[in-house]
């Protein structure tokens, strides 16, 4: 009976994460497309003057579908990634609770969040890499004369990368992604869970009984903290993941060199390219994700 309960809890975490993956992709992907394009356009020959220019040029050149460029990779992948994320988070919380007399302290949520985001990077890194490679084809087409897209779909990208570099090729940019995910994940879940506890205390009710609006606010603020403090890591990650898949033709050879090149291109400001659409995405996307998972897990539990 005890074992079955544990299996059921894990199954609920996986199901909740899967549904959250669908929701967060539908809400956040258009913002992510704009962010990636602003982050990765050539510093010496920018084709977008800013967020609004990127938005209208994407609409003009590609239509509404341009905002969902490469969406098949994150839509399928996000379901697996979020399932792994929330399974890892649930297991970490249960482990910490078991080893602390059946209760969780405030800091436990930070530990569990950092651990979960570390583990789930296994699934997230390839998703981000293939998505980024697909999204930047329009930039290359507009800046390189007579450029023929290397691939038009994530599936074509996957095939070419695996053929050239094997499965390791899908993990281009893994280290900067881990450098972002571990501390940012701790902030995301730490802020979210502790805010919900605060709302419950002030409302004199159980955490599961606070309003959906307050859960939404807690998720939005958790997402804000996730991105606000660790955004420069994401710029470095995007630069490396948008680089050539042929190792001999890569511009960025290491993380330190990438930082130096980006800094030389625009100083500290260079590490905040695409910051506005990212922050615009972070609030609703993370709010929807965490509202979805908390609602499902609390209802099914």
């Amino acid at each position: 009976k005890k074992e079955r309960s544990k299996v059921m809890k894990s199954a609920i975490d996986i199901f909740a994460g899967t549904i959250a993956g669908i929701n967060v992709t539908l809400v956040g992907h258009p913002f992510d497309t704009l962010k990636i394009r602003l982050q990765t356009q050539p510093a010496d020959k920018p084709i977008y003057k800013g967020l609004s220019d990127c938005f209208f040029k994407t609409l003009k050149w590609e239509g509404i579908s341009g905002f969902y460029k490469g969406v098949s990779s994150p839509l399928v992948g996000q379901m697996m990634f979020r399932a792994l994320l929330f399974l890892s988070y649930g297991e970490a919380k249960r482990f910490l609770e078991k080893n602390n007399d059946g209760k969780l302290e405030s800091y436990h949520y930070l530990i569990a969040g950092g651990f979960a985001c570390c583990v789930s990077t296994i699934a997230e890194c390839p998703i981000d890499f293939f998505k980024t490679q697909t999204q930047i084809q329009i930039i290359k087409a507009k800046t390189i004369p007579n450029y023929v897209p290397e691939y038009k779909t994530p599936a074509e990208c996957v095939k070419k990368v695996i053929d050239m570099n094997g499965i390791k090729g899908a993990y281009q940019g893994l280290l900067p992604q881990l450098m972002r995910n571990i501390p940012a994940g701790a902030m995301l879940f730490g802020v979210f869970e502790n805010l919900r506890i605060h709302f419950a205390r002030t409302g004199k009710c159980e955490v599961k009984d606070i309003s959906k609006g307050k859960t939404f606010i807690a998720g939005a603020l958790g997402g804000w903290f996730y991105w606000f403090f660790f955004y420069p890591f994401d710029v470095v990650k995007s630069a490396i993941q948008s680089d050539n898949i042929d190792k001999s033709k890569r511009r960025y050879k290491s993380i330190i060199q990438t930082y130096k090149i980006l800094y030389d291109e625009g100083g500290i400001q260079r590490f905040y390219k695409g910051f506005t659409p990212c922050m615009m995405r972070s609030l609703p996307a993370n709010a929807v994700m965490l509202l979805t998972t908390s609602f499902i897990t609390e209802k099914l539990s």
Side-chain angles (χ1 to χ4, degrees), residues 17 76-86 116-117 120-121 123-124 127 180-181 226:
V76 175
Q78 282 278 352
M79 293 164 68
M80 296 185 290
F81 158 48
R82 300 295 173 182
L84 179 58
L85 173 66
F86 285 97
C117 284
S120 62
T121 304
E124 185 187 21
I127 297 166
R180 181 200 73 182
N181 281 6
Y226 181 104

Side-chain angles (χ1 to χ4, degrees), residues 139-158:
I139 295 176
K140 292 183 177 181
K142 295 296 180 180
T143 56
I144 303 173
N146 304 315
Y147 177 76
V148 178
E150 296 175 77
Y151 18 75
K152 297 177 181 178
T153 66
E156 289 180 17
C157 181
V158 171

Side-chain angles (χ1 to χ4, degrees), residues 4 27 100 104 108 114 122 125 131 253 261 263 283 296:
R4 184 184 175 190
V27 172
N100 192 50
L104 288 168
H108 283 152
I122 296 168
C125 186
K131 176 186 65 177
K253 309 293 184 183
I261 290 173
Y263 184 81
L283 298 175
I296 292 174

Side-chain angles (χ1 to χ4, degrees), residues 196 200 204-212 215 298:
R196 291 189 82 211
K204 297 179 180 178
C205 64
E206 296 290 325
V207 172
K208 63 183 179 63
D209 295 324
I210 65 173
S211 68
K212 291 182 180 63
T215 297
E298 287 164 8

